[in-house]
Amino acid sequence: MCRIAGAPPRSLLPPLLLLLAALQQAPIKATCEGILCKTGFPEDVYSAVISRGLNEGQPLLNVGFTSCDEKRKVQFESSKPADFRVGEDGVVYAARSFQLSTDPTEFIIYAQDKETQQQWQVVVKLSIKPTFAEHSEKDQKKIEEIVFPRQQYKPSSHLQRQKRDWVIPPINLPENSRGPFPQELVRIRSDRDKSLSLRYSVTGPGADQPPTGIFIINPISGQLSVTKPLDREQIASFHLRAHAVDVNGNQVENPIDIVINVIDMNDNRPEFLHQVWNGTVPEGSKPGTYVMTVTAIDADDPNALNGMLRYRILSQAPSTPSPNMFTINNETGDIITVAAGLDREKVQQYTLIIQATDMEGNPTYGLSNTATAVITVTDVNDNPPEFTAMTFYGEVPENRVDVIVANLTVTDKDQPHTPAWNAMYRMTGGDPTGRFTILTDPNSNDGLVTVVKPIDFETNRMFVLTVAAENQVPLAKGIQHPPQSTATVSITVIDVNESPYFVPNPKLIRQEEGLLAGNMLTTFTAQDPDRYMQQTALRYSKLSDPANWLKIDPVSGQITTIAVLDRESQYVENNMYNATFLASDNGIPPMSGTGTLQIYLLDINDNAPQVHPQEATTCETLQPNATNITATDRDIDPNAGPFAFELPETPPSIKRNWTIIRISGDHAQLSLRIRFLEAGIYDVPIIITDSGNPPKSSTSILKVKVCQCDINGDCTDVDRIVGAGLGTGAIIAILLCIIILLILVLMFVVWMKRRDKERQAKQLLIDPEDDVRDNILKYDEEGGGEEDQDYDLSQLQQPDTIEPDAIKPVGIRRLDERPIHAEPQYPVRSAAPHPGDIGDFINEGLKAADNDPTAPPYDSLLVFDYEGSGSTAGSLSSLNSSSSGGEQDYDYLNDWGPRFKKLADMYGGGDD
């Protein structure tokens, strides 16, 4: 907040004069103290001019304390607590009634934070009003008095509110007054103060409500004063209510309302909503084009000069092509263009310094502030794309597609990667069949000429394309495409070796079946499209012939048969047989082409009809005994049905026992001629003739099972008939069962043999020569000869060869051996070596040991082996090397070789 400096003390000026000075805009110098919040007293010294006589509780002045933390609790103290005290709101009161001395009174006010114990202090100076000054002020200015309205009294002596017939005008008080404080405003008085001792008080925001302590009243004289400077931007007006009571607290007068208006002073600079404003304008814009709007606000009264702002442009950077490319509406802040020549390719951005000044822009009295406006010149399509060359060249092999044959490069001065820069290419001539297209590279903006349809060298050897380049958006009005936006593309076609092709492909011929081998069918040849290459004749070969009926001459392409053509073959589908042939050239690289020959086979009567089904069942009696049969023929019309059915003349029993009747072109009915035919299986020959020209007939055998039937015509003695004669199916089933049984028997035999081999393999896992039970393993040998290998192997034989403990003499038994008891029945392993029973032997011995009552407990001495009762070797205690070593000569150890060299050094070295 800014406070006014350089004005005379307002305590010496009447409020009316101050108001006139504010309205007439007297020269006042404004200085800003600071914007950041700082905890403490805003002034170092507070001064006040007061009357000499002080009454107890009389407010003197307000020491304003600024706290940046709303939660901070500050306690005030006076260095003269007997004379002055300070309230929580910073108002200084007289602690007692006394007379001030004529000299200025000074004391210190301390402010201490209750939590942090941080302390601040300020000096208070009190001066007495001179007597002549008081009389002078009375002559010049008389404090305005506000008198309570009179009240009427009823006989009941109760007060009655009287309707007011006048309104108290508001009090106007300029903000940022410099004091001295408290500054007297008005005097509130009741006309009953002559007969009663009254006490005056004020209530409302600014008095006893937050913010408290701004306005104080002398309870005896009724003098209303302001204790500190006011700020209109915080509170523009105060609404107080004055009260008058007697010494007992009884209301004497009705409260009256007092309105105090804070007069605005120019103490706030304009503030822009943004420090940096960003706007855009298209290049080439005409003068008067709107660009952007900047806005500033002023905390002062907007309806007064203090809050009326005006805008202007201080500077423009860069200043080309004109230093005044833009102007600003001084009231609204709208920025518009005033000059032509905006060109993004020359200047892409302008920076303007905008100033906002209050007091309607008065440079002498107004306060100012600045902001930056950044105006970006946006691109428009005012530069067409231009080819870097007038002619581009490319080449492409024939019959290739999706190949880039030329790269067209253009330049465009517009902003890259925008619709005004992105290029589009179109062909205006040279490609009537649409064999080329031009794609745009999104990164480089180049045009990629691509082949989309195969090109034949023999037809077109070169293409000359005319290409035009455009942008995605039209050019700006008034700008035309230059000649550089059109170019020529020359494309050369390269001849390559092409594949031969058959004509026609596929080739269809019609041929009757039954054509014998060696007959010529047709000639199937191919053509080579490479007319300008020196190549030999084509060679033909067969690629696919499922039935292997055909062959082709490798030079002439003549196709002949090598087998009989049969329409009824499994390789013929819908009377059509397909064969594929290959034609190859000798170019570099060699190429080949395929062709398909389709042979439509015409049917001939080469298949005799057959009866279906080949087995039937009928009853042995005359009724019911009819059996329906069907004739089938692999040929088609007219070489198939209708068929003729008849029975042969021989043997005579056929016609005597059976009769056949044709019921349709493909069906006939066979039935018994006689009343009874013995049950069994009968072979009935049937002659069937088709309708071909000439007709073809065959005799089919129909197996008829004659059986006894019930009333429904179902056979009842099928088992007997089957026993009498088995059909082909039954015989095949029996043979399959026999084969399966033999295979099972063979598998069982093989399994048994494999099992025996596995047993033998397990028994031979331990080689008898490596069996450690009965052999001595020699790991190393350092002995002197064969006499050292004369071992008594009898002690290493199997357990059953060792003598029992019972036959040993008692005198030679060792003391740590177990006592003699009845021997447990441990299993005895046979002397015959059988490596396979070691595991069984160990398990049996374990079981016997577990059940042995004579076995020692776990904490007894266990005997694991017995080495015999005596030894032929002498005791080692007889060797006394310490006594006899010095008497023997060990020099002979040097003659025994390097193995005894260490011993020779130890014992043959002499005294040392």
Side-chain angles (χ1 to χ4, degrees):
M1 185 181 72
C2 296
R3 67 182 182 91
I4 306 301
R10 283 175 169 77
S11 60
L12 303 179
L13 293 177
L16 183 59
L17 294 179
L18 292 175
L19 179 60
L20 292 175
L23 293 177
Q24 294 177 1
Q25 297 295 328
I28 297 174
K29 181 180 179 182
T31 60
C32 289
E33 293 180 343
I35 299 178
L36 297 178
C37 179
K38 181 179 180 181
T39 300
F41 293 100
E43 302 289 344
D44 294 334
V45 178
Y46 282 92
S47 300
V49 180
I50 60 178
S51 301
R52 183 176 182 182
L54 299 181
N55 298 320
E56 182 180 357
Q58 177 182 346
L60 304 179
L61 76 162
N62 187 346
V63 288
F65 184 84
T66 303
S67 177
C68 298
D69 187 0
E70 297 180 355
K71 300 180 180 180
R72 185 190 302 273
K73 296 182 180 180
V74 180
Q75 182 179 1
F76 298 95
E77 293 182 0
S78 172
S79 60
K80 295 181 178 181
D83 297 334
F84 306 98
R85 63 179 179 86
V86 185
E88 294 181 357
D89 53 358
V91 178
V92 181
Y93 301 92
R96 60 186 179 88
S97 298
F98 65 99
Q99 295 289 328
L100 290 175
S101 63
T102 56
D103 296 330
T105 303
E106 291 186 8
F107 60 94
I108 299 175
I109 301 298
Y110 300 96
Q112 184 174 7
D113 192 326
K114 294 182 179 181
E115 295 182 358
T116 62
Q117 302 301 320
Q118 186 176 0
Q119 193 177 65
W120 300 266
Q121 65 182 20
V122 66
V123 177
V124 177
K125 293 182 179 180
L126 300 180
S127 302
I128 300 175
K129 292 181 180 180
T131 304
F132 69 91
E134 292 181 358
H135 292 294
S136 177
E137 283 189 6
K138 289 181 181 179
D139 295 338
Q140 297 178 7
K141 173 193 172 184
K142 185 177 181 181
I143 298 298
E144 182 181 357
E145 289 187 353
I146 298 177
V147 182
F148 285 92
R150 300 191 176 200
Q151 300 186 19
Q152 297 177 355
Y153 293 89
K154 287 186 178 182
S156 58
S157 300
H158 293 287
L159 293 176
Q160 183 180 7
R161 183 179 181 89
Q162 180 182 1
K163 182 177 179 180
R164 299 179 183 178
D165 55 357
W166 55 278
V167 177
I168 300 175
I171 302 172
N172 296 325
L173 182 64
E175 66 173 335
N176 303 323
S177 173
R178 300 190 62 182
F181 294 103
Q183 179 180 347
E184 298 177 351
L185 300 180
V186 294
R187 180 182 178 189
I188 299 173
R189 188 179 65 80
S190 174
D191 55 1
R192 302 186 62 186
D193 59 354
K194 299 177 180 179
S195 59
L196 296 176
S197 177
L198 302 183
R199 295 291 183 268
Y200 301 96
S201 64
V202 290
T203 60
D208 62 341
Q209 298 178 17
T212 60
I214 297 180
F215 298 96
I216 59 177
I217 189 170
N218 190 314
I220 298 176
S221 64
Q223 183 67 45
L224 180 64
S225 305
V226 61
T227 61
K228 66 178 182 179
L230 303 181
D231 189 357
R232 191 206 65 85
E233 287 71 42
Q234 294 183 358
I235 301 176
S237 64
F238 295 89
H239 297 267
L240 305 178
R241 175 164 287 190
H243 306 268
V245 296
D246 57 16
V247 292
N248 297 322
N250 298 320
Q251 181 174 319
V252 176
E253 302 282 0
N254 289 330
I256 60 174
D257 295 328
I258 301 175
V259 178
I260 301 174
N261 292 329
V262 183
I263 303 302
D264 184 43
M265 305 296 289
N266 191 16
D267 58 343
N268 290 279
R269 290 182 179 274
E271 295 291 339
F272 283 90
L273 297 181
H274 305 286
Q275 192 60 36
V276 178
W277 297 78
N278 294 293
T280 59
V281 59
E283 62 175 332
S285 297
K286 296 180 180 180
T289 302
Y290 171 81
V291 179
M292 61 191 300
T293 300
V294 296
T295 304
I297 59 175
D298 196 317
D300 292 326
D301 188 358
N303 299 319
L305 293 177
N306 299 332
M308 295 181 180
L309 306 183
R310 296 295 183 265
Y311 302 92
R312 70 188 185 99
I313 299 175
L314 296 181
S315 64
Q316 170 191 309
S319 60
T320 57
S322 171
N324 297 315
M325 295 295 295
F326 305 92
T327 186
I328 187 170
N329 188 310
N330 63 347
E331 294 184 3
T332 62
D334 296 340
I335 299 176
I336 60 176
T337 61
V338 293
L342 291 174
D343 190 353
R344 191 204 64 86
E345 287 73 35
K346 295 179 179 179
V347 179
Q348 298 182 2
Q349 193 176 82
Y350 288 91
T351 301
L352 307 180
I353 304 300
I354 309 298
Q355 183 186 58
T357 306
D358 57 16
M359 301 294 292
E360 291 188 329
N362 190 317
T364 303
Y365 305 109
L367 301 178
S368 302
N369 212 337
T370 60
T372 302
V374 179
I375 301 175
T376 302
V377 182
T378 59
D379 187 35
V380 298
N381 194 13
D382 57 345
N383 294 280
E386 298 180 0
F387 287 97
T388 58
M390 298 303 298
T391 304
F392 296 88
Y393 299 92
E395 58 182 20
V396 57
E398 62 174 331
N399 301 323
R400 295 283 298 276
V401 294
D402 297 330
V403 177
I404 298 175
V405 298
N407 193 0
L408 312 181
T409 56
V410 295
T411 58
D412 196 319
K413 297 179 181 179
D414 292 321
Q415 185 175 359
H417 305 289
T418 60
W421 179 84
N422 296 333
M424 298 188 303
Y425 302 87
R426 60 183 180 90
M427 285 178 288
T428 59
D431 185 24
T433 58
R435 298 183 181 274
F436 300 92
T437 187
I438 303 179
L439 304 176
T440 303
D441 189 326
N443 296 322
S444 62
N445 214 25
D446 295 344
L448 308 178
V449 182
T450 308
V451 182
V452 294
K453 293 182 180 179
I455 303 175
D456 187 8
F457 174 81
E458 286 71 25
T459 304
N460 297 294
R461 298 188 181 184
M462 178 175 288
F463 291 87
V464 178
L465 309 178
T466 303
V467 181
E470 301 174 347
N471 292 120
Q472 291 181 351
V473 295
L475 289 174
K477 187 176 180 180
I479 300 177
Q480 303 295 329
H481 285 90
Q484 291 80 4
S485 296
T486 304
T488 301
V489 183
S490 178
I491 301 175
T492 303
V493 183
I494 303 174
D495 189 17
V496 298
N497 188 23
E498 300 177 76
S499 300
Y501 58 94
F502 286 86
V503 180
N505 189 18
K507 183 176 184 181
L508 176 65
I509 63 173
R510 300 171 68 89
Q511 177 65 45
E512 285 189 352
E513 65 172 331
L515 183 65
L516 301 178
N519 290 306
M520 195 271 289
L521 278 180
T522 184
T523 300
F524 196 22
T525 58
Q527 298 179 5
D528 193 346
D530 299 313
R531 298 192 301 269
Y532 301 99
M533 288 188 176
Q534 301 296 328
Q535 297 181 152
T536 59
L538 300 176
R539 305 287 294 182
Y540 301 95
S541 60
K542 184 172 64 175
L543 185 63
S544 173
D545 183 13
N548 198 23
W549 289 344
L550 310 173
K551 71 174 181 179
I552 187 170
D553 187 271
V555 177
S556 63
Q558 190 178 63
I559 298 175
T560 57
T561 60
I562 59 176
V564 179
L565 304 183
D566 185 8
R567 191 197 66 83
E568 290 75 29
S569 172
Q570 61 177 342
Y571 303 107
V572 177
E573 185 177 356
N574 297 328
N575 303 327
M576 192 73 71
Y577 180 75
N578 295 323
T580 306
F581 298 92
L582 188 70
S584 304
D585 60 16
N586 63 342
I588 300 175
M591 302 297 292
S592 60
T594 60
T596 301
L597 179 65
Q598 295 181 335
I599 306 174
Y600 186 84
L601 295 174
L602 303 175
D603 185 41
I604 62 173
N605 196 11
D606 58 345
N607 293 281
Q610 300 291 331
V611 67
H612 181 78
Q614 296 181 355
E615 295 181 357
T617 303
T618 186
C619 298
E620 59 185 4
T621 60
L622 184 61
Q623 293 295 336
N625 63 353
T627 300
N628 294 328
I629 61 174
T630 303
T632 60
D633 196 331
R634 299 179 63 189
D635 295 324
I636 60 176
D637 291 335
N639 298 319
F643 300 97
F645 301 88
E646 59 179 340
L647 298 176
E649 298 293 337
T650 57
S653 59
I654 299 300
K655 282 192 172 184
R656 184 175 64 251
N657 298 336
W658 305 92
T659 181
I660 190 168
I661 301 173
R662 176 183 171 188
I663 59 177
S664 67
D666 297 337
H667 304 283
Q669 196 173 69
L670 180 67
S671 60
L672 287 175
R673 181 184 292 272
I674 59 177
R675 292 179 176 275
F676 177 79
L677 182 63
E678 185 180 359
I681 298 177
Y682 298 88
D683 292 337
V684 179
I686 301 174
I687 301 175
I688 306 175
T689 305
D690 60 20
S691 300
N693 186 18
K696 201 172 186 62
S697 62
S698 65
T699 302
S700 300
I701 304 299
L702 177 64
K703 286 186 175 293
V704 181
K705 299 176 182 179
V706 180
C707 61
Q708 295 179 2
C709 299
D710 53 16
I711 59 176
N712 298 323
D714 298 329
C715 288
T716 58
D717 56 350
V718 177
D719 296 338
R720 184 170 59 82
I721 296 174
V722 173
L726 296 176
T728 304
I731 295 174
I732 293 176
I734 294 173
L735 291 177
L736 288 176
C737 291
I738 294 174
I739 292 174
I740 292 174
L741 182 60
L742 292 175
I743 292 174
L744 292 175
V745 172
L746 180 61
M747 293 175 63
F748 180 75
V749 172
V750 172
W751 179 74
M752 291 296 295
K753 290 185 177 181
R754 182 174 295 178
R755 182 180 179 185
D756 292 342
K757 289 182 179 181
E758 290 178 354
R759 284 184 176 181
Q760 293 179 5
K762 288 181 179 180
Q763 294 173 1
L764 298 177
L765 286 176
I766 301 178
D767 193 353
E769 295 181 358
D770 297 335
D771 192 356
V772 298
R773 294 173 298 179
D774 298 322
N775 294 277
I776 297 178
L777 301 179
K778 183 174 71 172
Y779 294 95
D780 197 2
E781 192 262 322
E782 296 180 359
E786 296 179 353
E787 63 276 5
D788 293 338
Q789 299 181 5
D790 187 12
Y791 305 113
D792 182 10
L793 301 180
S794 61
Q795 299 296 328
L796 300 176
Q797 296 302 319
Q798 299 183 17
D800 56 349
T801 62
I802 303 175
E803 58 182 1
D805 291 339
I807 63 175
K808 294 182 182 180
V810 181
I812 65 174
R813 183 177 299 274
R814 291 180 6 202
L815 296 178
D816 57 350
E817 288 187 292
R818 63 183 178 180
I820 298 175
H821 295 287
E823 295 291 336
Q825 298 299 322
Y826 286 93
V828 179
R829 181 166 168 265
S830 61
H834 198 296
D837 64 348
I838 293 178
D840 296 338
F841 176 76
I842 294 174
N843 290 331
E844 292 175 1
L846 179 60
K847 292 179 181 179
D850 292 339
N851 299 325
D852 184 7
T854 64
Y858 293 108
D859 55 354
S860 300
L861 178 64
L862 301 181
V863 180
F864 293 93
D865 199 1
Y866 175 68
E867 298 180 353
S869 58
S871 176
T872 57
S875 175
L876 293 178
S877 61
S878 61
L879 297 178
N880 190 354
S881 59
S882 61
S883 60
S884 60
E887 301 174 359
Q888 296 184 11
D889 185 8
Y890 295 96
D891 293 336
Y892 62 90
L893 295 176
N894 293 322
D895 300 330
W896 285 12
R899 294 185 179 181
F900 298 88
K901 186 174 187 319
K902 188 64 176 177
L903 291 175
D905 294 337
M906 293 172 59
Y907 292 94
D911 294 338
D912 53 12

